[in-house]
Amino acid sequence: MTSAFPSLAWTPRAVRMACLGALLPLAACSVAPVYQRPELPLPTAFKEAGAVWQPAAPADAIDRGDWWALFQDDDLNRLASQVQLSNQNIAAAVAAYAQAQALVREQRAGLLPSVSLSGSGSRAGGEGSTRRGTTTQAALGADWAPDLWGRLGGAVDNASANAQASEADLASARLSAVGSLVAAYFQLREADAEIDLLQATVQGYERSLQIAQNRYAAGVVANSDVLQARTQLANARADLATMQQNRARYEHAIAVLTGVAPASFTLPPAPWNMRAPEVPAGIPSTLLQRRPDIAAAERAVAAANAQIGVQRSAYYPSLSLTASLGRSGTSVGDLFSASGALWSLGLSVAQTVFDGGAIAARVDGAEAARDARAATYRQTVLTAFQAVEDQLTVLRTLQAQEPLRQEAVSAANLTEQQLLNRYREGQVSYTEVVTAQVTALSARRALLQLQVNRQLAAATLVQALGGGWQAPWEGGAGAQ
């Protein structure tokens, strides 16, 4: 018989390569639906980002991902770096991402032929045996299932999308861990400020108690003034103990976030940098790439879409090619003899004829799963918009309240001092002094709480905006 390809002899290898070459063009087929990101009407701007809220310039730290640097606190910067290295939730997310990447490599390997090498040897004998002697065998085998309908390719796409979602989850873990650190750190610094305030208050109340005792000893006032002063002093000391307890809890939280046992961690008191930077809110559409939870939800939709193609491929026949080349002989030396050569080629085709609608049910289930993922994605986007609008509202309100709180503190301080002076002159009762002192302390503490709330709201807004991270598969440079 004359070959149609004179330059190629019809050897077993040639036959195998010809078969593979004929099937390779078919391997690019796919029955998965074309993926489209779920649509959602986007506002052109945030409603609460009005004239009161001015964009910050520059805000390069956000785009670099080091958003905590906006607060210009060296201790916070050091702790944030330690969190990224030692936080165990981040470490778990890193491992999960590595696992997802390994699964992608595993699925891609399924697109390639598998090659195996085997060998055996046996010896038979005995008085009742009809076969005696030694038999040795060695074989090299190959097996390949061409991806005719995109089943394997769909599995790769599914795994790749899941890996990208895992990458976004890693960014979420980092954003959450550093956000928790920022919150605990600023609350600790606010606790330091309140401790200083309460310590000064205790000293002031001790002086007031001494004044009341002196006036009582002189017979000028009743013992009730002394009792009121003691009550007020005891309450202030109790508040101081509570604030010291709160500070210890924040310090313990920071220790755990940085991957250190609380017993081995100490953060000394330091001056509180009350800076609350203005954060550029940008436009709503940037959230689709900059928030890792949105990116993860979108990748979950893409993974579910690829799974539809995997299930649809079951409607079509599957092919499998096998080839083997081996040697057989009565001794190891015979394996290298030409007369001992064995080869085989195989082609198998399988097609489901009747399954009672099982394939259709799996396809319907995959489509429903995609729809569910799409709904989750849209809800995630809406929730993100809400978070940004909420924090813009909080920041605008706190910004408007701060001068009012400062005015209240100034007036309360002046009232307290005037009534204490008048009490020394016997012009007012001690009850009026106590009322003024309680009001002044409450105003001072309210101002401190407002200042820390501004910092926490600014940090929360940065988190709501995605912390500067951008989905690498969207064409941006990942900041994390």
Side-chain angles (χ1 to χ4, degrees):
M1 181 177 66
T2 302
S3 171
F5 302 93
S7 62
L8 179 62
W10 283 107
T11 62
R13 182 176 182 274
V15 173
R16 182 169 70 254
M17 295 304 297
C19 292
L20 298 182
L23 290 171
L24 275 174
L26 295 177
C29 298
S30 175
V31 293
V34 177
Y35 174 69
Q36 293 182 343
R37 186 197 304 267
E39 294 183 358
L40 184 69
L42 299 179
T44 57
F46 292 107
K47 181 178 70 174
E48 301 298 338
V52 176
W53 186 251
Q54 298 297 328
D60 296 338
I62 293 182
D63 292 330
R64 292 196 306 269
D66 300 338
W67 57 269
W68 52 88
L70 292 172
F71 295 93
Q72 300 180 4
D73 190 304
D74 292 338
D75 285 339
L76 177 59
N77 294 341
R78 174 178 58 81
L79 292 169
S81 298
Q82 189 173 349
V83 164
Q84 304 229 40
L85 292 175
S86 305
N87 183 268
Q88 295 307 299
N89 288 333
I90 294 178
V94 169
Y97 179 42
Q99 182 181 14
Q101 288 178 310
L103 182 59
V104 174
R105 295 195 299 271
E106 178 186 352
Q107 295 295 339
R108 283 178 178 165
L111 295 170
L112 303 175
S114 62
V115 180
S116 62
L117 177 64
S118 62
S120 66
S122 64
R123 184 174 179 81
E127 294 182 1
S129 175
T130 59
R131 294 184 58 188
R132 297 188 179 189
T134 301
T135 302
T136 59
Q137 290 182 337
L140 181 67
D143 188 6
W144 182 49
D147 192 19
L148 299 182
W149 315 113
R151 180 182 64 84
L152 298 178
V156 172
D157 292 342
N158 178 277
S160 298
N162 284 328
Q164 290 170 338
S166 182
E167 183 179 1
D169 289 339
L170 171 57
S172 289
R174 287 174 172 163
L175 186 62
S176 176
V178 177
S180 297
L181 167 72
V182 170
Y185 177 80
F186 284 136
Q187 287 173 313
L188 180 140
R189 289 303 180 214
E190 191 273 339
D192 285 340
E194 280 207 53
I195 288 172
D196 291 343
L197 172 62
L198 289 169
Q199 287 175 337
T201 300
V202 166
Q203 294 174 358
Y205 287 176
E206 288 173 342
R207 291 192 294 270
S208 297
L209 174 60
Q210 187 61 50
I211 293 171
Q213 288 175 333
N214 293 340
R215 291 177 60 80
Y216 171 68
V220 178
V221 297
N223 189 41
S224 59
D225 286 10
V226 177
L227 295 177
Q228 282 183 303
R230 285 178 176 172
T231 299
Q232 191 174 25
L233 176 59
N235 286 334
R237 286 172 173 167
D239 289 343
L240 176 59
T242 299
M243 191 53 57
Q244 289 170 336
Q245 170 193 317
N246 291 342
R247 187 197 190 279
R249 291 175 55 248
Y250 296 137
E251 189 177 65
H252 299 164
I254 292 172
V256 172
L257 286 167
T258 55
V260 179
S264 305
F265 181 85
T266 300
L267 187 60
W272 176 22
N273 181 0
M274 298 181 183
R275 172 181 171 81
E278 293 182 343
V279 181
I283 57 176
S285 60
T286 61
L287 285 186
L288 302 186
Q289 290 82 37
R290 293 180 71 99
R291 270 189 64 131
D293 58 337
I294 292 179
E298 186 272 330
R299 289 291 82 194
V301 181
N305 188 78
Q307 189 62 27
I308 295 174
V310 173
Q311 298 301 334
R312 283 181 179 176
S313 66
Y315 282 122
Y316 302 95
S318 60
L319 277 71
S320 179
L321 294 173
T322 60
S324 67
L325 177 64
R327 299 279 181 166
S328 177
T330 58
S331 67
V332 175
D334 292 338
L335 294 179
F336 302 96
S337 172
S339 61
L342 301 171
W343 63 268
S344 69
L345 288 175
L347 172 65
S348 64
V349 180
Q351 169 70 63
T352 301
V353 178
F354 177 75
D355 65 356
I359 295 177
R362 287 193 292 268
V363 171
D364 290 344
E367 292 175 344
R370 179 200 55 191
D371 294 343
R373 293 292 190 182
T376 300
Y377 167 77
R378 295 187 183 96
Q379 184 63 38
T380 302
V381 173
L382 292 173
T383 302
F385 289 159
Q386 178 187 0
V388 174
E389 298 282 10
D390 286 349
Q391 293 310 311
L392 289 172
T393 300
V394 170
L395 281 165
R396 187 177 67 247
T397 302
L398 293 175
Q399 188 178 23
Q401 286 179 347
E402 186 166 9
L404 301 176
R405 291 292 186 187
Q406 291 174 338
E407 181 181 354
V409 168
S410 298
N413 289 342
L414 185 60
T415 301
E416 177 188 21
Q417 188 58 50
Q418 288 179 350
L419 286 176
L420 188 58
N421 292 337
R422 293 179 66 188
Y423 175 72
R424 290 192 182 99
E425 301 297 327
Q427 297 177 357
V428 295
S429 66
Y430 195 75
T431 299
E432 293 181 72
V433 175
V434 170
T435 301
Q437 289 177 330
V438 170
T439 301
L441 178 60
S442 176
R444 296 176 195 129
R445 296 183 72 177
L447 177 59
L448 290 176
Q449 191 62 52
L450 183 144
Q451 289 167 335
V452 75
N453 284 342
R454 280 197 66 187
Q455 288 187 316
L456 295 176
T460 303
L461 176 60
V462 176
Q463 289 180 267
L465 294 171
W469 181 83
Q470 189 169 4
W473 54 88
E474 296 290 350
Q480 293 290 353

